[in-house]
Amino acid sequence: MKPDPHPWASDRAQLHAEIWKRLTRGVHDRHAPARHPTLATATVEGKPKARTVVLRAADKATGMLDIHTDLWSAKVAELRANPFAALHIWDASAHLQLRIEGQITISAGQDVAEIWEAVPAASRLSYGSTPAPGAPIAQALDYTKTADAGSFVVLRLEIETIDAVHLGPHHRRARFDRCDQWTGTWLAP
């Protein structure tokens, strides 16, 4: 049998460090798998909703992840009704699946003014759409985009758990919890 190309997966502490290395890379490298995780929420009716988002910040010390969105998107209303969410990341090169769960805080206005100032001009057009994102329109291009700081929102996920599955020569699974200072527990894969 070939040696495991990902030896970090056999040690919980190394696995946890590798997870954060990959999350941090996702913030800075637009080609990294963690750059575009899937965010899952529940509608006010309790139905699941999932969509691709862009990871904008990852802070290992605080266990926080940031996503930017438009104030008028459905996910904001969903998170106001139920602030719990999950992120899913599949990193094919590492054979690593991450399921990250936690509670989201919604910040807007003056609370995010400094972050808004750092958003590139072209990207600002993602925040401020008429009609609101998801509204029905007659034709595919019947909408306008204008940069609107008032429509800019930061979703900050305070991670409660990370469930990591490594599908190497020997499958491994570990769960890391904030409540036990991220020491981790091995789980059957």
Side-chain angles (χ1 to χ4, degrees):
M1 181 178 270
K2 294 180 189 178
D4 191 338
H6 306 116
W8 45 260
S10 64
D11 177 87
R12 282 194 323 262
Q14 288 181 30
L15 175 57
H16 187 255
E18 188 69 22
I19 290 166
W20 278 99
K21 177 178 152 186
R22 290 174 182 280
L23 289 170
T24 302
R25 185 179 303 145
V27 173
H28 305 289
D29 178 356
R30 66 183 191 169
H31 301 292
R35 177 68 167 188
H36 297 104
T38 301
L39 173 69
T41 59
T43 66
V44 293
E45 297 84 18
K47 295 179 180 180
K49 288 288 182 178
R51 77 282 282 157
T52 302
V53 294
V54 178
L55 188 62
R56 297 298 185 181
D59 187 337
K60 181 180 180 184
T62 62
M64 303 281 200
L65 302 174
D66 284 3
I67 298 159
H68 299 171
T69 194
D70 188 291
L71 174 67
W72 307 108
S73 68
K75 64 184 148 301
V76 173
E78 293 162 4
L79 290 164
R80 283 185 173 143
N82 178 358
F84 294 96
L87 284 178
H88 176 267
I89 299 166
W90 169 245
D91 188 328
S93 67
H95 305 272
L96 183 64
Q97 172 187 259
L98 300 176
R99 291 184 304 153
I100 301 169
E101 298 175 359
Q103 187 165 342
I104 289 190
T105 301
I106 302 167
S107 299
Q110 282 305 115
D111 294 337
V112 298
E114 189 174 320
I115 297 170
W116 173 257
E117 289 304 317
V119 174
S123 297
R124 289 181 181 189
L125 291 174
S126 297
Y127 315 103
S129 175
T130 303
I137 54 179
Q139 300 293 321
L141 299 177
D142 284 352
Y143 64 90
T144 58
K145 295 258 185 193
T146 54
D148 178 14
S151 293
F152 178 68
V153 172
V154 174
L155 304 177
R156 180 155 294 151
L157 176 68
E158 180 178 0
I159 299 171
E160 293 176 4
T161 65
I162 301 172
D163 188 310
V165 179
H166 179 256
L167 300 176
H170 300 283
H171 294 190
R172 293 181 175 93
R173 181 178 178 189
R175 178 182 168 121
F176 300 93
D177 294 287
R178 178 181 293 275
C179 66
D180 72 2
Q181 289 72 52
W182 312 110
T183 56
T185 302
W186 289 115
L187 303 173

